[in-house]
């Protein structure tokens, strides 16, 4: 590589330096003058658009409709559900002035939209015939983190979906959980190639205002957890606070049952952290804005170089006609080696090298980003080969993610094991009595919280690692971003 | 109509009462507790999504990429381009606190993103090889209007695209204008069925920071103009303020040339105002979330009603298989007449009435929202008929919009004609000398501004209606929202 400043200077094992360097040098994101907020450059925003479009289509299939509510929430409205307000107010950004005027009431920049949406829901819902009401919005939210910000994982503004459903019965509301978590899991698997751990949040860790929270927990390569997409069954908590009542089939007035759920741009951070390597970004092939780069290898002969150019364009057209996102790197001021490094840094999944030999044999060389493997393939088999490589890389990345997450899970029976090992990261799967007291003490003493309680509890056994009472759950303890 | 509160109480000719009533009663939008901001209910957001997806696809075809920049802009950054700051600061919403802490610097909630984007552009652009850089974002912006808010037309928050391009030459930058305005015009015509007047803004009315601004001016049914999508050639104004320089092909450092452009949710307001009527909403068929409602007409015979139900479902499946957005209104607590009124109020373009007669003859009756026409059609011709009706309604709405706009244009030769008629609304196409003095005086004396100077100036003639000097332009004078 000619220009040293292009490449990575940190190795993946130096995770805390490598991760931000990766994001910046690969031109996935940039910082801005607003501390704690990031700029999504084209390749990051492209990946988010694919996730968003996929999830949105799945939502629409099951009858969810999109809406848009205002960004600002009057303080008095945010105060209406006390637990919810307490959960969010420490990190609310407040608008106090407009132009030169001071506002009569402060406005919160939405940290989430329960309060402003449910004020409207109460007006709109009258009878069981108005239910279910399943609305969603794709928007930006602000939570003013005072901790050290980490791009995507902990930023002061992020993009997400927030789904807010209302049902006529607890049963119907609860039935939505598997539908929504199923869509999120599918998006994680089919697009980001990420493996997650599905489980229930403890009462202590659940969403402010929910009856029960469920999460898909993701893991960073340093073994710290990150809460991924989530789903909250809110019961009648908000409907009582916001007076969302309906006349049921028995002509009686009843408070409605509600859910909320979200997937955010946070998953992009886990995705690139999980798949990338010492050379730079590795992007799952279905999410890569640029899937294939064609690099002609000049032959120092004007005649051959002209033919190489024509041949490259033929290859490009073949790829494009098949719907692949491909381009030729024709820059004459960089060597092929420089170009190889640059597109590896930026995470282009496949590179086609085309030199004199390929020209003469009607072939191309495919270089595969994650394995560094190179394969020759004849032009008439190219599309088939690329399609296969996309599937193979996709599956490989997912299996790697799954293997990484599972390698971080340690089945433990004693508190000592947790205390001894938690500094190395990892998830400690342990018997727990279910008491919040034990949970809080463990968190205070080790920094590990219960990320979630896996839905599959078939391995329940033993005694609480903290108080030694009989275990009621197998819980996952981990340090979490 | 059984429930009187469902219907419209104002006629379209009572425009200022009719328009907000229309939006609320048709459940297109709702107000919220934040004054001046609106809630986009599903049918409004759906229409916006179609416009957004269409424009986005067209942008991508010509090489524009999407990005996302932070919502907040530090005050010092907003101050960097003086004219731009002066233009926007009177209506900026300011964040001054986060949680319990006061911020060291106030943050503007973006009224537009030039300043925060161009700070990054200056870091990213080094050489002519980095150009053109054509980035766009779809987001929400806040402009704290102190005038009377009008839903969609003048709201404190709205949704839009903001495109921000950088080119290596003035010529290339200017060439983008017709590309972008072409896409906007096509979206207006192909989706919203709106006719607009393309022209150049005067120096006095142009965008704060632009060298030249172009707009598509739209007209409300009361004859007042609304600025629709726009395009600004910014020359080197921002590149000088933000230091966006590049090394050109002659190895010399040069400031870059920039454009900005936008289409916003404002067009939804003009769209529904233009097409709707005394009965309620009329939605262009390509943008309607619900395109076809099927209303079975009970025959007071359980046996026939059961057959009607089966037949309706067969019709529904036929429509859905063809990709039409259709549904059956099966509610048993409303009469067919009530349902007819409700879906007319809500702007469903086509209603299929299915009674005993239709059942027996294997036909349906299509009722068409905008003309109130009814037509019988046999089931095997249904898809063809609906497709034709969609095209016919679409073209009819567009032609109506064109006719309405053109009927508002008055060619005048004297200032008296403007003064005498401006209170009735309308666009006054008149000779103008080109001086800002005349323009300002006319605005002060009549409330009419120059909405734009049509690109086609083939009818240029006569003397300025204000100062009587020789005309340099034919300009459109109108009162504007």
């Amino acid at each position: 590589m000619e220009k040293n400043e292009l490449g990575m200077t940190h190795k993946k094992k130096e995770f805390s330096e490598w991760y931000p360097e990766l994001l910046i040098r690969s031109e996935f994101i940039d910082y801005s003058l607003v501390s704690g907020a990031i700029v999504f450059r084209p390749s990051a925003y492209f990946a988010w658009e694919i996730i968003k479009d996929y999830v949105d289509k799945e939502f629409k299939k099951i009858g969810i409709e999109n809406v848009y509510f205002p960004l600002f929430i009057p303080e008095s409205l945010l105060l209406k559900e006390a637990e919810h307000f307490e959960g969010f107010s420490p990190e609310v950004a407040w608008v106090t002035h407009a132009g030169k005027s001071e506002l009569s009431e402060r406005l919160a920049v939405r940290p989430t939209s329960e309060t402003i949406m449910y004020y409207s829901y109460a007006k709109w819902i009258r009878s069981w015939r108005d239910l279910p009401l399943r609305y969603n919005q794709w928007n930006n939210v602000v939570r003013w983190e005072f901790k050290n910000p980490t791009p995507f994982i902990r930023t002061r503004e992020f993009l997400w979906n927030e789904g807010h459903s209302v049902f006529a019965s607890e049963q119907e509301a609860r039935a939505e959980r598997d539908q929504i978590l199923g869509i999120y899991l599918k998006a994680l698997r089919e697009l980001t190639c990420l493996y997650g751990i599905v489980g229930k949040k403890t009462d202590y860790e659940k969403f402010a205002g929910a009856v029960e929270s469920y999460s898909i927990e993701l893991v960073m390569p340093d073994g710290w957890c990150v809460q991924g997409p989530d789903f909250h069954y809110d019961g009648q908590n908000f409907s009582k606070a916001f007076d969302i009542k309906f006349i049921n089939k028995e002509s009686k007035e009843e408070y409605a049952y509600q859910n909320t759920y979200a997937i955010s741009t946070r998953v992009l951070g886990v995705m690139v952290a999980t798949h990338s390597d010492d050379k730079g970004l590795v992007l799952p092939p279905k999410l890569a804005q640029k899937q294939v780069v064609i690099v002609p290898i000049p032959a120092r002969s004007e005649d051959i170089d002209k033919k190489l150019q024509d041949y490259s364009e033929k290859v490009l057209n073949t790829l494009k006609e098949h719907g692949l996102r491909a381009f030729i790197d024709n820059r004459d001021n960089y060597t092929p080696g420089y170009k190889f490094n640059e597109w590896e840094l930026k995470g282009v999944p496949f590179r086609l090298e085309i030199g004199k030999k390929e020209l003469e044999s009607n072939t191309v060389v495919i270089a595969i980003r994650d394995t560094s493997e190179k394969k020759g393939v004849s032009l008439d088999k190219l599309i088939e080969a690329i399609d296969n490589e996309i599937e193979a890389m996709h599956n490989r990345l997912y299996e790697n993610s799954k293997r990484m997450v599972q390698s971080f899970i340690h089945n433990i029976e004693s508190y000592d094991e947790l205390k001894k090992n938690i500094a190395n990261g990892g998830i400690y799967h342990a018997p727990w009595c279910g008491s919040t007291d034990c949970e809080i003490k463990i968190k205070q003493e080790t920094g590990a919280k219960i990320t979630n309680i896996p839905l599959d509890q078939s391995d329940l056994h033993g005694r609480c690692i903290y108080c030694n009472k009989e275990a009621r759950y197998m819980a996952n303890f981990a340090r979490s971003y």
Side-chain angles (χ1 to χ4, degrees), chain A:
Chain A
M1 188 172 296
E2 287 103 322
K3 276 196 192 168
N4 194 37
E5 74 266 26
L6 251 187
M8 295 289 296
T9 65
H10 290 283
K11 304 275 185 206
K12 188 165 184 178
K13 63 183 177 208
E14 305 159 298
F15 185 75
S16 58
E17 293 87 23
W18 171 86
Y19 176 65
E21 184 181 48
L22 170 78
L23 294 172
I24 300 296
R25 297 220 169 190
S26 67
E27 301 186 356
F28 200 62
I29 68 153
D30 203 353
Y31 296 123
S32 76
L33 283 186
V34 187
S35 131
I38 58 173
V39 177
F40 288 64
R41 299 184 72 168
S43 115
Y45 196 78
F46 188 90
W48 176 241
E49 273 183 319
I50 301 241
I51 296 170
K52 181 172 175 293
D53 290 350
Y54 178 92
V55 171
D56 193 64
K57 208 166 277 174
E58 295 296 316
F59 281 173
K60 283 178 175 147
K61 274 188 210 161
I62 59 169
I64 294 166
E65 299 176 284
N66 286 336
V67 292
Y68 187 77
F69 278 76
L71 171 70
F72 295 145
I73 302 173
E75 184 168 18
S76 56
L77 198 55
L78 202 63
L79 277 161
K80 272 203 152 186
E81 213 286 339
E83 220 178 289
H84 183 74
F85 180 76
E86 267 171 47
F88 284 102
S89 69
E91 46 188 47
V92 163
W94 292 105
V95 173
T96 58
H97 291 74
K100 289 190 193 303
S101 316
E102 190 172 348
L103 301 180
S104 60
E105 181 181 10
R106 302 199 298 177
L107 299 172
V109 182
R110 64 175 162 234
T112 178
S113 301
E114 278 76 3
T115 55
I116 191 152
M117 291 177 82
Y118 301 167
Y119 166 81
S120 291
Y121 282 14
K123 290 198 291 173
W124 298 342
I125 293 167
R126 289 279 166 268
S127 121
W128 64 270
R129 290 174 190 273
D130 301 321
L131 302 177
L133 178 152
R134 300 172 79 185
Y135 288 171
N136 173 60
Q137 48 179 351
W138 293 97
N139 61 23
N140 55 337
V141 286
V142 169
R143 297 181 187 174
W144 205 264
E145 300 281 355
F146 289 92
K147 283 201 234 175
N148 215 6
T150 305
F152 291 119
I153 305 303
R154 194 169 279 287
T155 49
R156 288 178 173 168
E157 180 186 3
F158 57 88
L159 307 178
W160 73 348
N161 96 278
E162 47 176 326
H164 296 266
S165 309
V166 190
F167 292 91
S169 72
E170 171 168 353
Q171 195 190 1
E172 283 171 274
R174 286 189 178 276
E176 197 186 37
R177 185 195 74 185
D178 291 348
Q179 245 186 346
I180 300 296
L181 289 179
I183 290 171
Y184 288 153
L185 275 171
K186 232 174 116 186
L188 288 177
R189 179 177 180 135
E190 297 300 322
L191 302 173
T192 64
C193 306
L194 287 177
Y195 177 82
I197 302 169
V198 186
K200 188 176 167 181
K201 289 279 182 188
T202 64
D203 280 347
Y204 183 66
E205 296 287 350
K206 74 183 179 192
F207 178 70
V211 172
E212 288 175 2
S213 289
Y214 297 86
S215 66
I216 303 172
E217 295 291 329
L218 305 172
V219 187
M220 291 289 263
D222 60 356
W224 283 51
C225 279
V226 171
Q227 189 190 305
D230 55 15
F231 178 92
H232 312 289
Y233 170 62
D234 296 330
Q236 297 176 312
N237 284 352
F238 286 99
S239 66
K240 284 180 180 166
F242 286 86
D243 213 28
I244 306 175
K245 288 182 292 200
F246 68 101
I247 307 293
N248 65 22
K249 286 190 182 173
E250 288 73 44
S251 302
K252 284 197 185 130
E253 203 171 64
E254 194 176 350
Y255 287 107
Y257 300 83
Q258 295 183 262
N259 295 325
T260 57
Y261 49 92
I263 186 170
S264 80
T265 44
R266 184 174 251 201
V267 298
L268 294 180
V270 186
M271 175 181 88
V272 298
T274 299
H275 304 310
S276 302
D277 60 22
D278 291 350
K279 291 197 281 185
L281 208 60
V282 173
L283 287 174
K286 296 180 188 179
L287 287 182
Q289 188 190 20
K290 297 175 157 82
Q291 294 174 305
V292 184
V293 55
I294 299 167
V295 181
I297 318 288
R300 300 183 190 204
S301 141
E302 214 170 289
D303 178 50
I304 297 175
D305 286 355
K306 171 76 182 73
K307 283 183 186 152
L308 277 176
Q309 189 54 37
D310 293 345
Y311 186 65
S312 298
E313 268 160 32
K314 188 174 158 193
V315 171
L316 178 67
N317 290 335
T318 308
L319 296 170
K320 279 187 159 178
E321 274 162 27
H322 191 61
L324 289 160
R325 299 182 288 270
F327 68 105
I328 305 176
D329 185 349
N330 265 330
R331 291 173 299 173
D332 55 11
N333 58 331
Y334 293 109
T335 63
Y338 180 90
K339 294 176 183 180
F340 293 0
N341 289 334
E342 178 172 347
W343 300 117
E344 283 175 356
L345 173 65
K346 292 182 177 169
V348 178
F350 305 105
R351 176 178 70 237
L352 302 191
E353 302 173 7
I354 297 181
K356 190 163 168 264
K357 197 180 134 205
E358 284 71 44
L359 176 68
E360 286 164 356
S361 57
N362 238 9
T363 60
V364 300
V365 169
I366 306 181
I368 294 156
R369 173 62 185 88
D370 62 319
T371 59
S372 301
E373 225 181 330
K374 289 192 186 195
K375 293 178 179 177
V377 59
S378 69
L379 192 51
D380 56 337
K381 296 264 168 59
L382 177 61
I383 293 299
E384 196 189 327
I386 293 275
D387 279 350
N388 289 341
E389 291 301 340
I390 286 177
E391 280 313 305
M393 177 171 175
H394 181 88
N395 292 332
R396 212 157 47 230
L397 295 182
Y398 178 75
E399 291 304 326
N400 284 345
S401 164
K402 187 171 173 183
R403 202 175 311 118
M404 182 194 85
V405 171
Q406 288 178 337
S407 76
F408 277 123
I409 302 175
H410 308 287
N411 293 303
I412 61 166
E413 306 293 333
S414 76
Y415 190 42
D416 272 355
E417 288 174 274
L418 177 65
K419 283 192 289 189
K420 208 163 57 192
N421 295 304
I422 189 68
N424 306 321
I427 297 159
Y428 298 85
H429 187 66
W432 171 55
C433 64
S435 110
T436 305
D437 273 359
C438 290
E439 184 184 4
I440 293 176
K441 278 178 190 144
I442 292 171
K443 193 171 181 181
Q444 285 166 345
E445 294 170 16
T446 67
K449 70 177 189 185
I450 297 178
T451 56
N452 65 23
I453 302 167
L455 290 190
D456 178 2
Q457 288 285 308
S458 58
D459 61 341
L460 177 62
H461 70 278
R463 312 190 75 82
C464 174
I465 54 165
Y466 198 83
C467 70
N468 210 33
K469 287 198 188 120
E470 193 177 352
R472 287 181 54 204
Y473 306 102
M474 295 301 295
N476 284 344
F477 293 85
R479 288 189 181 164
S480 189
Y481 274 89

